[in-house]
Amino acid sequence: MSTQEQQATFWLQYSQQLSNSIRYTEALAAAEKAVALNPANPETWYTRGTCFAMLARYQEALADFEQSLTLQDQDAAAWDAKAWVLGILGHKQEALAAVNRALEIDPNYLEAQRRKERLEVL
């Protein structure tokens, strides 16, 4: 692993720790450093997208989840996150399609199961 990849991993992990501590603005800053250092890592985009979503910056979150999926389209968590934001934005059919894709990848993904149930009730 190159020094740049190591630095990106540090910032990614730091961002996740900050996010877990509900420090989303700081987590976003760390995630932005991770993306800048390693834009080929889908997890950096997913993490930054989650920070954007937690800060109610939904269009930016959606763009990051889509970038993550462009790099790795077999990520159930990223499909579920995309469904989450699409649901918030009121795009029910697109959200259902995304959550169904998450469940195709991982039928036991509990968050996606719950999200699908909520979307079907709306």
Side-chain angles (χ1 to χ4, degrees), residues 43-75:
E43 190 176 3
T44 61
W45 293 98
Y46 171 82
T47 299
R48 190 174 82 165
T50 300
C51 293
F52 277 135
M54 296 308 291
L55 294 167
R57 293 170 62 178
Y58 301 119
Q59 293 298 333
E60 292 158 296
L62 185 58
D64 278 8
F65 295 141
E66 289 175 350
Q67 180 61 31
S68 176
L69 289 165
T70 296
L71 295 168
Q72 179 181 323
D73 96 326
Q74 295 298 309
D75 184 349

Side-chain angles (χ1 to χ4, degrees), residues 5-108:
E5 289 170 329
Q6 289 174 338
Q7 290 175 343
T9 299
F10 165 81
W11 286 111
L12 174 62
Q13 291 170 348
Y14 187 51
S15 174
Q16 292 164 340
Q17 290 170 357
L18 290 166
S19 184
N20 289 338
S21 299
I22 313 174
R23 294 168 60 186
Y24 301 119
T25 302
E26 295 166 87
L28 176 59
E32 287 176 334
K33 290 178 183 177
V35 166
L37 288 163
N38 191 359
N41 180 350
E43 190 176 3
T44 61
W45 293 98
Y46 171 82
T47 299
R48 190 174 82 165
T50 300
C51 293
F52 277 135
M54 296 308 291
L55 294 167
R57 293 170 62 178
Y58 301 119
Q59 293 298 333
E60 292 158 296
L62 185 58
D64 278 8
F65 295 141
E66 289 175 350
Q67 180 61 31
S68 176
L69 289 165
T70 296
L71 295 168
Q72 179 181 323
D73 96 326
Q74 295 298 309
D75 184 349
W79 281 107
D80 181 55
K82 181 177 177 178
W84 168 42
V85 171
L86 287 168
I88 290 169
L89 294 172
H91 303 288
K92 181 180 176 180
Q93 294 308 313
E94 291 175 65
L96 275 170
V99 81
N100 284 332
R101 183 70 178 108
L103 290 168
E104 286 173 22
I105 295 165
D106 183 355
N108 298 314

